[in-house]
Amino acid sequence: MPSDRILIFDTTLRDGEQCPGAAMTPRQKLEVARQLARLGVDIIEAGFPIASQGDFDSVKEIARTVRGPVICGLARCVPADIDAAGAAVKPAGKKGRIHVFLGTSKIHREFKLGKARDEILRLATDGVRRACRFTSNVEFSPEDASRTEIDFLVEVVETAIGAGATTINLPDTTGYATPEEYGRMFAEVIARARGSENAVFSTHCHNDLGLAVANSLSGVQSGARQIECTLNGIGERAGNAALEEIVMALRTRQDVFSHLTTGIQTREIVRSSRLVSAACSFAIPRNKAIVGLNAFAHSSGIHQDGILKKRETYEIMDPEEVGWGKTELPLTKHSGRAAVASRLKHLGYLLKPAELQAVFSRFKDIGDRKKFVYDDDLVSLVGAQIQVARETYSLESLHVESGTGKKPMARIALKHGRKTLAATGSGDGTVDAVLKTIDRITGLRGHLMDYQVRAVTEGKDAVGEVSLSVRFDAKGEPAAGRAAATDVIESSGRAYLAATNRWIAEGGRASKKTRRTLGHP
Ligand code: KIV
Ligand code: ZN
């Protein structure tokens, strides 16, 4: 009989970060990993160490410094991958896990791998055995499990368990399964695979048909005891199953889910969700369940009346239970550095003195223009501040001129080392003029791929946050940037500079982080 405890395996830093535009810097990944530990996840999949030196270093640093959860590194069934993952998770000691995966479906065997079934079984055995040399905590995933012939899937799972895997993950890699099919696959594999009682079974669902959470819950009802998920549901293509939705579904519908529990500190959910959104410049849709701004907003008069009479008339969860509400007193321009530092600590940030100084100085700028600085404003400022390791260019001043029938002009001065570099330029709009003028100074030529602006809090003086991604190199992936200011033209310039700095900090290769081209065994 499986236990009632569901292990939450968070893959925000691996599958989540894999989605275009969500790339995080090592510093941001560390902040997210620390927050995941506070949130109470059981396992953090910290990255894919073979993918790049940056991924390797980042997994290793998380394994060295983050305490509580198991730290996991992903590897294909390839010796070099497994060795890299083993070395990266080593600092976590007994809390290090290697996750090896191998395509098993007919389409993956024939078209991607060009391997027959017996070769797949041999590779799975060799891969798991090699991983066991580094740690006894080995997870195996038959990739595209939900489209793998069931008899062969059972054989693969038996083989992996026989070779030493202690967790078996059955991914719905393409988001193709329906809840009924996905649950049936678990029931059948668990019933038929020899040794299944010695392994923890895990779900891993993608959201191509919007079924990722439903499928994960169905897997659990059929005996899975680990769920792989991401905050805000970020991930490849349409994303992965959203952690917050799974946890709150299990908790809210204890009657349906047979009193299954997780170790998640639900009051940390909103904070964690915002940290991830800030780190990867991915805005949370307003109507996103649990963490969207509208998730607990009742606009119709009938609903509001019902809520005032008895909250449960229209609310199935208490917003405070997931970390909404109880806003602290906002800070003002009179608040000192200690007050800002203490609020940042409360929000979960551990900043180095230089970072705190930079955030404090931006806080003062904003405090001069805005009566109250709210927690969300601070999260936005700090998120922008820690996104680059090195600021090659920083904004010294920005002036724009525009008006009906006038060509918009920008005059910008950037600090570059000890020098100040200035230029004037024009564009089709004010933002365009600003970005082109920055390019003129840096000598780069960025192509704007995505541009989003949102008001962080309410009111006409709200901080406007700009998230954008820029392609500096035709072959590469875009570099993301984000910034906040009370003036959206200034936020746009700062966000563009952040993307520029990021691209430069990564050696002008924001793209190549997405990665050496990974062949298959
Ligand atoms: O979706 C998938 O199959 C994966 C595997 C690496 C587990 O992400
Ligand atoms: Zn996946």
Side-chain angles (χ1 to χ4, degrees):
M1 190 66 189
S3 89
D4 290 345
R5 175 74 155 73
I6 300 294
L7 299 172
I8 297 295
F9 175 115
D10 181 279
T11 183
T12 305
L13 296 175
R14 200 278 298 169
D15 223 344
E17 207 244 355
Q18 229 162 286
C19 75
M24 297 177 223
T25 63
R27 179 77 174 80
Q28 290 173 319
K29 288 187 189 175
L30 188 59
E31 287 295 342
V32 170
R34 286 192 188 128
Q35 179 58 27
L36 288 171
R38 275 181 227 114
L39 177 63
V41 307
D42 299 284
I43 302 110
I44 296 176
E45 187 163 52
F48 191 5
I50 195 72
S52 70
Q53 188 63 41
D55 275 40
F56 178 88
D57 293 342
S58 168
V59 175
K60 192 165 177 190
E61 184 59 8
I62 291 171
R64 193 178 71 77
T65 55
V66 176
R67 292 288 160 255
V70 164
I71 308 298
C72 175
L74 182 71
R76 293 165 302 174
C77 274
V78 171
D81 280 39
I82 296 165
D83 296 353
V89 300
K90 190 165 180 230
K94 286 200 162 63
K95 290 230 161 184
R97 173 183 292 190
I98 301 178
H99 174 190
V100 279
F101 74 100
L102 178 64
T104 53
S105 62
K106 189 165 187 289
I107 191 162
H108 277 227
R109 292 192 314 264
E110 288 181 4
F111 293 94
K112 190 177 90 170
L113 304 171
K115 304 261 182 242
R117 287 184 177 201
D118 57 341
E119 288 175 283
I120 296 290
L121 294 174
R122 184 183 55 74
L123 279 170
T125 307
D126 292 351
V128 171
R129 283 200 184 137
R130 192 172 186 103
C132 290
R133 290 195 213 152
F134 295 93
T135 169
S136 55
N137 194 338
V138 174
E139 169 167 336
F140 178 78
S141 289
E143 194 189 9
D144 205 16
S146 54
R147 294 193 300 168
T148 301
E149 307 89 319
I150 191 75
D151 292 342
F152 183 56
L153 185 61
V154 168
E155 211 180 336
V156 173
V157 167
E158 278 182 2
T159 304
I161 295 175
T166 46
T167 300
I168 298 291
N169 177 40
L170 301 181
D172 184 28
T173 304
T174 56
Y176 180 73
T178 64
E180 198 270 328
E181 284 168 349
Y182 196 62
R184 187 152 25 90
M185 173 180 71
F186 276 90
E188 199 160 341
V189 173
I190 293 172
R192 287 178 53 194
R194 253 172 301 134
S196 66
E197 66 286 1
N198 301 322
V200 172
F201 279 79
S202 174
T203 67
H204 178 113
C205 299
H206 282 269
N207 209 25
D208 300 67
L209 293 173
L211 293 173
V213 169
N215 284 345
S216 308
L217 295 172
S218 171
V220 155
Q221 285 179 308
S222 295
R225 286 296 174 267
Q226 174 180 289
I227 300 181
E228 303 198 356
C229 47
T230 60
L231 279 162
N232 305 334
I234 63 168
E236 281 277 12
R237 307 180 308 278
N240 287 59
L243 179 151
E244 61 278 7
E245 295 176 20
I246 286 169
V247 168
M248 291 317 290
L250 290 174
R251 190 174 163 115
T252 307
R253 297 305 309 270
Q254 287 273 299
D255 54 333
V256 173
F257 296 107
S258 327
H259 304 284
L260 295 171
T261 59
T262 71
I264 295 295
Q265 304 297 317
T266 58
R267 285 174 194 268
E268 292 290 326
I269 285 179
V270 167
R271 196 195 316 241
S272 309
S273 151
R274 288 175 174 204
L275 181 67
V276 167
S277 161
C280 65
S281 306
F282 245 61
I284 305 166
R286 288 187 87 90
N287 66 340
K288 168 83 184 60
I290 320 290
V291 292
L293 279 178
N294 288 359
F296 294 93
H298 302 275
S299 57
S300 103
I302 296 174
H303 287 206
Q304 287 177 352
D305 182 54
I307 289 275
L308 290 174
K309 289 180 174 141
K310 186 157 177 68
R311 188 181 59 77
E312 288 82 357
T313 49
Y314 287 101
E315 254 173 22
I316 58 167
M317 293 166 269
D318 180 346
E320 282 188 20
E321 208 188 322
V322 294
W324 282 108
K326 281 253 179 80
T327 39
E328 306 277 338
L329 282 180
L331 298 166
T332 68
K333 68 174 176 183
H334 303 296
S335 310
R337 186 197 312 256
V340 173
S342 132
R343 185 59 59 82
L344 285 170
K345 192 163 169 221
H346 169 80
L347 291 169
Y349 289 100
L350 278 179
L351 298 190
K352 297 180 193 133
E355 289 168 335
L356 177 60
Q357 178 51 41
V359 172
F360 186 62
S361 110
R362 294 283 299 119
F363 162 81
K364 284 285 181 193
D365 282 352
I366 286 180
D368 275 340
R369 291 186 240 171
K370 189 176 184 309
K371 194 165 171 199
F372 296 120
V373 182
Y374 295 94
D375 284 357
D376 282 352
D377 297 327
L378 271 186
V379 168
S380 184
L381 286 185
V382 82
Q385 198 54 47
I386 65 172
Q387 67 190 314
V388 272
R390 188 157 35 87
E391 254 193 323
T392 308
Y393 295 98
S394 59
L395 186 68
E396 198 169 283
S397 64
L398 181 155
H399 298 275
V400 287
E401 277 170 37
S402 72
T404 328
K406 256 182 114 181
K407 182 110 179 139
M409 297 288 297
R411 196 155 27 90
I412 293 180
L414 300 183
K415 217 143 186 78
H416 179 52
R418 286 161 187 251
K419 285 193 237 146
T420 295
L421 307 173
T424 306
S426 61
D428 291 335
T430 325
V431 171
D432 188 43
V434 167
L435 309 193
K436 282 190 173 134
T437 308
I438 291 177
D439 277 355
R440 180 171 281 192
I441 298 176
T442 60
L444 294 169
R445 211 188 149 96
H447 180 59
L448 199 59
M449 306 297 294
D450 188 30
Y451 174 90
Q452 288 181 44
V453 60
R454 79 172 177 107
V456 175
T457 44
E458 288 173 13
K460 289 198 182 106
D461 64 351
V463 165
E465 182 183 274
V466 169
S467 308
L468 46 74
S469 62
V470 188
R471 201 189 280 283
F472 289 100
D473 153 7
K475 283 183 246 131
E477 283 253 328
R482 204 173 60 84
T486 46
D487 178 336
V488 292
I489 304 297
E490 181 183 333
S491 316
S492 305
R494 287 185 181 277
Y496 191 78
L497 265 183
T500 305
N501 283 329
R502 188 160 183 174
W503 195 74
I504 296 169
E506 288 173 9
R509 285 175 282 110
S511 51
K512 305 210 174 99
K513 177 227 158 276
T514 340
R515 309 170 187 263
R516 308 166 184 174
T517 308
L518 295 172
H520 285 276

